[in-house]
Amino acid sequence: MLTAGLALHTDKYQINMMYAHWINGSHRTRAVFEAYFRKLPFGNGYAVFAGLERIVHYIESLRFSDEDIAYLAKQEEKYKPEFLEELRRFRFQGNIHSMKEGALVFPNEPLIRVEGTIFETQLVETALLNFMNFQTLIATKASRIRQVASGDTLLEFGTRRAQEADAAVWGARAAYLAGFHATSNMLAGEKFGIPTKGTHAHSWVQTFRSEQEAFDIFAEVMPDQVTLLVDTFDTLKSGIPHAIVTAKKLESQGKRMNAIRLDSGDLAYLSIQARKMLDEAGLHYVGIVASNDLDEGTILDLKAQGAKVDTWGVGTQLITAADQPALGGVYKLVEREVDGKMVPTIKISGNPEKVSTPGKKEVYRIISKGSGKAIADYICFPEEEMPPENGKLKLFNPLHPYMRKNVKNFEAVSMLETVFVNGELVYELPKLEEIRSYHDAQLDQFWPEYLRKLNPEIYRVNLSEEVWEVKQRMMAEFMEQHED
């Protein structure tokens, strides 16, 4: 969970490229990289950016320790001692701009921009992508689940199935910023202030002579926090009837049981029957919690079947993003120093979707002043001027330039925040509750068709004409140079 001591949290080829640049004398060449993803995860209509807080802590504490230097000295590359001393003195001195956590983001737009020497911008690539890709993926999955849960309470239960401790803790944070209400992970609760929730395991019930005794003792110990797991033996014939007895004992003490939890079986049928049994016993206030390999698909199906569930405990499918376990974000060089001047650079690929967009870029969200809703995201060079008040902005699809649209009466909201300037942190990290509120505001900016789970409408991400023309020119120049 600690972000300090991660200088070697990088791929070896980054160190080798840094070494080659150092030997070549090009290690102080200026460069600009941009991190983005090419395809939305889960077939969703949007992604939720996350991971900035950990990136900030990583950059702030980025140092090579004596142990790191000693380890590097043992490598087969036989790095020169002078290079290792350069690493010992290393501090990040560049600039970073980033989307805010909780922002709705889309393919092929810069989420993070890193400017500095090639030495430092190359080093941070691996860790930056690691943090951004995982947390953005989990936040997107959590927001997607939230869309189908429609106001129900959502609990993150994924720790035991997560890929190790870091994934469990930072995944819990990503889920919370995207709308989950609590986590079962106590360390995430302590570290980030996330509310924690928990009931008891089947082993608690199995420990006692009877299910009734287990329920009654649990209620005696925590009379104000009673949620009983009712499926250890037989949910309808044993678990719920015993839970009702315990609830009545609590009522006699002036207390109320919170809920029962269903963790197996036909959750739709069992929840309907449980609700009926609880209501007939006068326990209308007792909620029903469901768990057991839930995700947005199963929750949507259960709701369609009339399930009477108030709270959903979502674990494995969320914390592992089981239906798409990687975001696939990339980090590409877009500008480099040549003879003292910064010039755009492009990556050409046989796969058209992998051709990069050259030049350092800004991202603006175009908001209709009439509806307050997002129209498109607009990518342009920093030096480009936006149209004046009441002017027209030309939007066109970069893949299909004939698809054009002129917009007026809009507000252009800059999406990239300045985070580091010359290695100094200038951005105040928001509290987690502020990020949650920002995410809610972001959702409110989009029409429902962009947010729906199934077949969402494709949101426009447009290049400025100047960006598009530079990209076309550079591709054409490359093709001319490589003609047979």
Side-chain angles (χ1 to χ4, degrees):
M1 271 62 68
L2 297 177
T3 314
L6 292 181
L8 290 184
H9 184 50
T10 189
D11 294 304
K12 191 173 193 180
Y13 79 168
Q14 310 286 18
I15 301 293
N16 285 347
M17 286 188 287
M18 293 167 69
Y19 185 54
H21 274 300
W22 183 81
I23 291 289
N24 187 54
S26 54
H27 59 297
R28 301 201 187 283
T29 300
R30 305 292 297 176
V32 179
F33 284 82
E34 290 175 350
Y36 59 94
F37 61 87
R38 299 188 181 106
K39 184 179 179 182
L40 284 163
F42 317 115
N44 210 41
Y46 64 92
V48 180
F49 178 69
L52 178 59
E53 181 170 315
R54 192 164 201 201
I55 290 169
V56 165
H57 295 324
Y58 162 74
I59 294 293
E60 283 191 303
S61 61
L62 187 51
R63 309 281 189 277
F64 286 89
S65 68
D66 291 343
E67 291 79 8
D68 295 336
I69 300 299
Y71 176 73
L72 289 169
K74 299 175 185 176
Q75 299 304 301
E76 61 186 358
E77 287 79 5
K78 300 187 183 331
Y79 304 120
K80 289 187 175 183
E82 296 86 350
F83 171 71
L84 299 180
E85 285 305 307
E86 182 84 18
L87 294 184
R88 192 188 301 275
R89 295 190 298 269
F90 178 88
R91 302 291 185 271
F92 182 83
Q93 299 294 320
N95 305 327
I96 294 180
H97 295 76
S98 175
M99 294 282 187
K100 295 168 66 173
E101 289 196 282
L104 269 58
V105 294
F106 302 90
N108 300 310
E109 60 185 15
L111 307 183
I112 303 173
R113 188 174 76 227
V114 183
E115 308 169 35
T117 65
I118 191 67
F119 202 72
E120 59 192 342
T121 54
Q122 204 72 73
L123 173 62
V124 302
E125 172 182 358
T126 301
L128 185 149
L129 285 177
N130 178 214
F131 303 148
M132 180 193 86
N133 280 337
F134 174 70
Q135 293 191 46
T136 297
L137 186 73
I138 302 306
T140 304
K141 184 74 169 176
S143 185
R144 183 170 162 83
I145 293 169
R146 178 187 175 187
Q147 293 304 308
V148 304
S150 62
D152 297 341
T153 299
L154 292 167
L155 309 178
E156 185 278 312
F157 278 177
T159 295
R160 62 189 60 197
R161 303 286 172 78
Q163 278 85 352
E164 254 287 355
D166 273 13
V169 172
W170 289 96
R173 179 184 182 277
Y176 185 68
L177 74 82
F180 269 59
H181 299 90
T183 180
S184 64
N185 188 291
M186 295 297 287
L187 185 55
E190 178 192 36
K191 186 175 181 68
F192 304 120
I194 302 172
T196 55
K197 295 290 183 183
T199 57
H200 63 77
H202 294 109
S203 59
W204 171 263
V205 177
Q206 293 172 278
T207 300
F208 295 90
R209 290 172 296 181
S210 70
E211 187 175 48
Q212 189 68 68
E213 182 184 19
F215 286 176
D216 287 347
I217 291 175
F218 193 80
E220 286 173 14
V221 174
M222 288 175 284
D224 297 312
Q225 303 293 331
V226 181
T227 296
L228 300 175
L229 182 59
V230 296
D231 69 337
T232 303
F233 302 118
D234 187 305
T235 300
L236 299 181
K237 294 181 179 179
S238 173
I240 296 174
H242 289 146
I244 289 171
V245 171
T246 301
K248 290 298 184 181
K249 291 179 181 178
L250 284 169
E251 280 188 341
S252 68
Q253 303 166 25
K255 303 288 187 179
R256 285 189 165 193
M257 189 165 77
N258 289 347
I260 62 166
R261 179 160 75 97
L262 305 171
D263 190 49
S264 61
D266 185 334
L267 296 179
Y269 173 75
L270 291 174
S271 67
I272 292 169
Q273 295 303 311
R275 182 75 274 154
K276 181 180 178 182
M277 294 169 70
L278 291 168
D279 289 350
E280 289 176 348
L283 301 172
H284 307 279
Y285 57 85
V286 175
I288 298 176
V289 181
S291 52
N292 188 25
D293 274 346
L294 299 174
D295 64 7
E296 66 272 35
T298 51
I299 292 173
L300 187 66
D301 289 345
L302 287 166
K303 283 182 166 291
Q305 296 170 54
K308 301 296 184 182
V309 175
D310 311 291
T311 299
W312 306 90
V314 187
T316 305
Q317 304 299 315
L318 167 63
I319 205 67
T320 66
D323 46 339
Q324 186 178 325
L327 179 64
V330 296
Y331 182 86
K332 297 299 178 185
L333 180 68
V334 296
E335 197 170 275
R336 64 192 179 98
E337 184 181 8
V338 178
D339 297 329
K341 295 183 179 180
M342 299 301 294
V343 298
T345 183
I346 190 170
K347 176 189 179 294
I348 301 293
S349 173
N351 300 102
E353 70 277 5
K354 290 190 174 184
V355 176
S356 64
T357 301
K360 180 171 74 173
K361 297 173 289 295
E362 297 286 351
V363 182
Y364 290 91
R365 184 145 298 159
I366 307 304
I367 306 292
S368 168
K369 287 186 177 179
S371 65
K373 300 294 186 183
I375 300 171
D377 279 12
Y378 183 73
I379 301 173
C380 63
F381 294 133
E383 63 271 16
E384 290 187 66
E385 292 186 3
M386 296 299 290
E389 185 76 18
N390 298 322
K392 289 192 301 184
L393 179 66
K394 185 185 294 183
L395 303 177
F396 71 96
N397 187 316
L399 297 178
H400 307 288
Y402 66 90
M403 297 176 63
R404 296 171 180 263
K405 178 180 182 179
N406 290 326
V407 295
K408 296 178 66 176
N409 193 33
F410 66 88
E411 179 184 6
V413 178
S414 177
M415 296 298 292
L416 292 175
E417 296 282 332
T418 303
V419 181
F420 284 92
V421 175
N422 297 326
E424 294 294 324
L425 179 64
V426 297
Y427 177 73
E428 184 176 350
L429 287 170
K431 293 181 172 58
L432 200 47
E433 295 300 328
E434 294 175 312
I435 297 174
R436 282 167 61 86
S437 297
Y438 177 68
H439 179 59
D440 288 344
Q442 286 277 287
L443 290 170
D444 287 342
Q445 281 186 346
F446 286 80
W447 296 106
E449 52 262 37
Y450 297 115
L451 307 179
R452 65 190 177 214
K453 173 183 176 289
L454 299 174
N455 300 315
E457 181 67 20
I458 298 173
Y459 180 72
R460 300 174 67 112
V461 176
N462 297 107
L463 301 179
S464 73
E465 286 192 286
E466 188 172 342
V467 171
W468 186 77
E469 287 168 359
V470 169
K471 184 173 184 177
Q472 298 304 307
R473 173 176 57 78
M474 294 186 72
M475 288 192 294
E477 289 173 352
F478 174 85
M479 298 303 294
E480 288 178 8
Q481 293 170 4
H482 294 80
E483 286 180 350
D484 293 333

